[in-house]
Every structure is written in C-alpha cells, then in structure tokens.
Amino acid sequence: MEDIIKEIEKIKKEKRAIILAHNYQRPEVQDIADFVGDSLELSTKAKDTDAEIIIFCGVHFMAETAKILSPQKKVILPRMDAGCPMADMVTPDGLRELKNKYPEYKVVTYVNSTASVKALSDSCCTSSNAINIVKNIDSNKILFVPDRNLAHYVSRFVKKEIIPWQGFCPTHERLEVKDILARKKDFPDAKVLVHPECKPEVVDIADKALSTSGIIKFCHEDNSKYFIIGTEMGILHRLKKENPEKEFILASDRLVCPNMKLTRLEDIYRALTEEEGIIELESEVINKAKEALLNMYRLNY
Ligand code: 13P
Ligand code: SF4
C-alpha cells in the first residue's frame, strides 16, 4: 500500500493533477485526496482549481459537474461504472414531458442528476443549499428533480408550490424509523443526524437533517459524546479521525452505497498513468448545464 501511495503522489505532481474525493469514499481514498468534501464543496473546488487534471473519486454525475464547471480541464472518473441510481431515475425526455405539462414552473435540479438533465433546468442545488435556491428563485411554482425526499425536506421551510419528481436514493431510502429507535435504545443521549435524502418520517425523528459536510461541521461544534449517523457509512472515517474523543454510531448497517465503494487506490493509479475514464460532454450540454450550475451559485444567499 505504501508503494502505491508514493507512486500516486509522484505522478500527481508531475502531471499537475488534483484528487478530489467525496465524504462517502473508502478511507484510503479519502486519505490520499487533496480535498474531501460534500457535493457543493467539491463543485466549488473543481471550479476554482488551477490543476490541469482533476481525478474525481465519487460517482459519474459529480465528475460531470466538475467538467461542466471546468470544461478546459481533463476530468477523470477512475471508475466509469460508478453511477448514481437516483440520477438515472430522471431522463431528459421525462423531464421535457413534465416541463411541457407545467410550462409556468421553474425547474430546480439536485446535482445528483446527469448533465443532460441539468441542461434542461433553471437552477441546480445541492443538499446544503436547496432551501436557499428554492426560496430565492423567481417563481412560486417549482418542479423539483429528481429527489422526492429532498423536495419534501425543502417544503418544510419554503412555502412554495413544489412538484417533486418521484426519484430517491436507494441507500438512504433503506433507513427506517425503527433502525433509529433501536440505536436510540442503546444510546439514549445521542444526537440523531440524518441526510435530507432520507424519508420524511426519518427526518421527523432526527435532531437535524444536513448535507455530509454539514454533519461533519455539526459534530465538530456540538458538545455531545454520542452521535447516531443516518447517511452513507463512508462519512464515519472523517468523523472518527477528526473527533477521536466522540463516538459515532451508524444508524443502520445497510447504509452502504455500492457505487461510492468502487474506487480503490489501484483505480486512481491507473487513472493517473493511463488517463482512462476521461469525461466528455457536448459543448451545448456544457453551456446549458453550466448556466444552471452558475445560477445555483447566484441564488445561494
Ligand atoms: P452531499 O455530500 O452533498 O450531502 O451529497 C450526498 C450524496 O448522496 C452524494 O451522492
Ligand atoms: Fe446516489 Fe445515493 Fe449513492 Fe449518493 S448515496 S451516489 S445519491 S445512490
């Protein structure tokens, strides 16, 4: 393992590459990354970096987002088979049909979506800024795509007419109220933190629903000793590493996203040396999707 880490570090410098990793990635992948974060932080890094190559350790839509925001850079996804089932739950044709049915609505699209779906949207959002985007977009009628659970979460805070696409994250959807209650029995004083991709009834019994980096920030700042974590298990690595005096309990053993677990050090090494897995997008898709992503930055106040 030491050898491959040294090799990756060496080639990375030679090629002026940066490694970005999502908070759900395997521990060894997070540890070798230049930056680990949530979807918004990773998009912002991809937008602002001066590296020539971005190695994106995450899933396909995240690498696409990096390409849209930095089209002149080489963006590589080390595992091309790392997809997101929720992103695939809405197609451009499906969204066009919905837009035709509701022409007076504005489309807010969660970044967990393909570039072609983003290209048909008025603004993108992430889990950390969805409330602001829906609040600040200049319409009271919103088509929210593709996550119905995030749409429901936003509707708790913003009184607008929201029509949700019926997509969901299969990993977060597996978390049940009974799982949390069982963990609460063992750790009655624990704070319960979940992701807004969880079902509404799960969010109802949580202390907070936050993006992955929101959960990490909360655990830094809160004085509790125990935290029950309702999101993908990869987040526990950072939580434990950055807060050795606190205890983190995964809300359910089923909180594993198989796609987020695909990327290994060998894949990163291959991506750097062979430069396979380059993200390519049509310029028309890039231009339209970029507008939706830049609108997200404009509306996030
Ligand atoms: P965030 O890291 O933005 O909270 O996203 C969670 C997620 O499911 C990414 O696939
Ligand atoms: Fe997609 Fe859910 Fe996996 Fe995130 S955790 S990549 S939303 S399936």
Side-chain angles (χ1 to χ4, degrees), residues 24 59 61 84-86 112 169-172 197 257 260:
Y24 294 159
V59 292
F61 76 80
C84 168
M86 166 162 36
N112 298 32
C169 162
T171 300
H172 288 90
E197 285 174 19
C257 170
M260 282 287 185

Side-chain angles (χ1 to χ4, degrees), residues 24-263:
Y24 294 159
Q25 290 289 291
R26 289 175 177 275
E28 65 276 19
V29 170
Q30 294 192 29
D31 288 345
I32 204 172
D34 296 286
F35 183 78
V36 185
D38 71 2
S39 304
L40 182 63
E41 292 170 333
L42 291 168
S43 315
T44 310
K45 274 274 164 199
K47 182 163 69 70
D48 298 340
T49 180
D50 57 6
E52 279 164 25
I53 300 179
I54 300 174
I55 305 287
F56 210 116
C57 304
V59 292
H60 196 266
F61 76 80
M62 295 182 169
E64 277 191 343
T65 302
K67 181 68 187 173
I68 295 162
L69 290 169
S70 285
Q72 72 292 355
K73 294 192 180 117
K74 203 177 266 179
V75 178
I76 300 180
L77 182 68
R79 288 291 299 248
M80 266 298 179
D81 50 345
C84 168
M86 166 162 36
D88 295 336
M89 286 178 191
V90 55
T91 61
D93 281 348
L95 180 53
R96 267 189 217 102
E97 212 174 287
L98 190 72
K99 281 173 62 153
N100 286 340
K101 199 168 162 197
Y102 297 101
E104 73 278 26
Y105 282 61
K106 287 261 162 104
V107 180
V108 175
T109 296
Y110 191 26
V111 283
N112 298 32
S113 54
T114 62
S116 338
V117 164
K118 286 184 179 77
L120 295 169
S121 310
D122 294 294
S123 178
C124 290
C125 72
T126 72
S127 57
S128 64
N129 62 23
I131 295 171
N132 280 354
I133 306 307
V134 173
K135 203 192 292 170
N136 295 333
I137 200 165
D138 62 345
S139 172
N140 284 326
K141 295 175 179 218
I142 312 289
L143 301 177
F144 194 96
V145 181
D147 187 2
R148 64 181 181 206
N149 292 334
L150 183 60
H152 187 278
Y153 178 71
V154 170
S155 74
R156 295 170 189 255
F157 302 91
V158 190
K159 295 295 156 229
K160 290 192 177 183
E161 224 177 280
I162 302 175
I163 299 182
W165 189 269
Q166 289 302 319
F168 57 90
C169 162
T171 300
H172 288 90
E173 191 83 359
R174 283 197 282 273
L175 183 60
E176 302 286 346
V177 167
K178 64 175 169 25
D179 299 321
I180 307 240
L181 296 180
R183 296 288 198 252
K184 264 290 212 190
K185 231 176 183 179
D186 293 336
F187 298 93
D189 299 331
K191 287 266 160 73
V192 177
L193 307 176
V194 303
H195 197 277
E197 285 174 19
C198 292
K199 292 189 280 206
E201 59 269 32
V202 168
V203 172
D204 281 343
I205 60 160
D207 291 293
K208 284 257 174 214
L210 296 160
S211 81
T212 55
S213 288
I215 291 176
I216 290 168
K217 185 165 179 278
F218 185 95
C219 292
H220 273 293
E221 291 168 359
D222 192 83
N223 288 329
S224 309
K225 172 147 174 69
Y226 299 101
F227 298 87
I228 295 168
I229 304 297
T231 193
E232 211 274 344
M233 51 89 71
I235 198 174
L236 291 193
H237 177 61
R238 259 187 89 182
L239 286 171
K240 287 179 180 169
K241 195 165 138 182
E242 293 175 14
N243 305 277
E245 73 293 357
K246 297 180 181 175
E247 284 203 37
F248 302 96
I249 306 106
L250 193 63
S252 156
D253 296 342
R254 285 166 295 138
L255 283 166
V256 182
C257 170
N259 291 285
M260 282 287 185
K261 302 277 98 79
L262 284 174
T263 311

